[in-house]
Amino acid sequence: MAKTPDQSQIRRKKIDAMREQEARARKRNKNLAVSLTVIGVFIVLLAAVLVVNRLSGPETAVVAAGKAQYVRADSHKLSVAPDGKVTLVEFLDFECEACRAAFPVVEDLRKQYAGKVTFVARHFPLPGHFNAERAARAVEASARQGKFEAMYQRMYETQTQRGEKRVPADDVFRGLAKSLGLDMTAWEKAYNAPETLERINKDVADGKALGMTGTPTFFLNGRRLQPESEADFKAAIDAALAS
């Protein structure tokens, strides 16, 4: 005949069952916390990408001095719309984490609005970013050989490798230029040329004239954008196209 379990055995089994249930609950809570953390990081990153510089002035502050301040004849155009009806300008810093986060959003918009919107990239290296000016010079030197966009992309793709480091990144930028197959003698000359820095400072002067102090800052047909999502970007562009 099977032995009937005593009360202590029954209690132990109940306690063991409760502990096992608590362990499963803790595991579920831990997984949920990890998931929420990942979601939170994503939301913060998206905010950094899309909540552009909220500076002084109204949300749709018109560029007072006209188109010449936000797009000039020598401004770098990543994509061109034949009708020239809609232009999105970004003032950027290649050492700015928010600009790097905005980069894939801009690339996605370029694909969606190919042939419909002109996308312009302008320099605004911030003094607090140790290699920002060097990065801008490296991109400008590459532009002299028709490789502005290629170096622009490389800068963002490699930013985390040098970000926040307060040591000169000249050799890193030379390496990027070599990887693009550029004439390094010509690139080196342009990288160190005073006129290259003058070209960058012209963009900076325009940005400051528009009241900028940070990056990224976007202008759509001369009006500052302050979108909080990619959908806001698209809504503004669609409205400009429809007007």
Side-chain angles (χ1 to χ4, degrees), residues 52 59-63 67 70-71 84-91 109 113 116-120 210 217-227 231-243:
V52 295
E59 180 173 349
T60 56
V62 178
V63 177
K67 292 183 178 180
Y70 71 93
V71 180
K85 183 178 181 179
V86 178
T87 299
L88 181 67
V89 180
E90 178 186 6
F91 282 82
L109 291 173
Y113 293 97
K116 298 179 181 179
V117 175
T118 296
F119 289 82
V120 180
L210 297 173
T217 296
F218 295 90
F219 293 93
L220 183 67
N221 283 358
R223 293 180 180 272
R224 184 177 297 175
L225 291 185
Q226 292 182 315
D232 288 348
F233 256 123
K234 294 170 67 176
I237 292 173
D238 289 341
L241 289 169
S243 63

Side-chain angles (χ1 to χ4, degrees), residues 19 32 49 115 146 157 180 200 203 212 230 240 243:
R19 287 176 176 172
L32 177 60
V49 173
E157 292 166 355
L180 295 177
I200 294 165
D203 279 5
M212 287 178 50
E230 185 172 349
S243 63

Side-chain angles (χ1 to χ4, degrees), residues 9 33 37 39 42 67-68 81 93 102 120 133 139 171 181 188 211 233:
Q9 289 177 322
T37 299
I39 292 171
F42 175 77
K67 292 183 178 180
D93 174 343
V120 180
E133 184 183 284
V139 173
D171 289 341
E188 195 77 41
F233 256 123

Side-chain angles (χ1 to χ4, degrees), residues 92-111:
L92 54 83
D93 174 343
F94 291 110
E95 299 295 288
C96 165
E97 291 183 1
C99 293
R100 176 175 60 83
F103 168 65
V105 176
V106 173
E107 291 295 282
D108 188 48
L109 291 173
R110 286 179 61 196
K111 292 177 183 177

Side-chain angles (χ1 to χ4, degrees), residues 1-97:
M1 179 180 296
K3 186 177 180 180
T4 303
D6 59 26
Q7 290 300 316
S8 62
Q9 289 177 322
I10 293 174
R11 284 197 298 271
R12 279 198 299 272
K13 288 182 179 180
K14 287 183 178 180
I15 292 172
D16 290 342
M18 290 174 63
R19 287 176 176 172
E20 185 177 352
Q21 186 176 7
E22 290 175 356
R24 288 197 297 267
R26 285 196 299 271
K27 185 176 182 181
R28 285 195 301 270
N29 290 337
K30 181 178 179 181
N31 291 337
L32 177 60
V34 171
S35 298
L36 290 176
T37 299
V38 172
I39 292 171
V41 170
F42 175 77
I43 291 172
V44 170
L45 180 60
L46 184 62
V49 173
L50 297 172
V51 179
V52 295
N53 212 29
R54 294 181 180 277
L55 303 174
S56 58
E59 180 173 349
T60 56
V62 178
V63 177
K67 292 183 178 180
Q69 275 198 311
Y70 71 93
V71 180
R72 293 186 180 272
D74 62 351
S75 293
H76 296 294
K77 297 178 176 64
L78 296 170
S79 304
V80 177
D83 61 11
K85 183 178 181 179
V86 178
T87 299
L88 181 67
V89 180
E90 178 186 6
F91 282 82
L92 54 83
D93 174 343
F94 291 110
E95 299 295 288
C96 165
E97 291 183 1

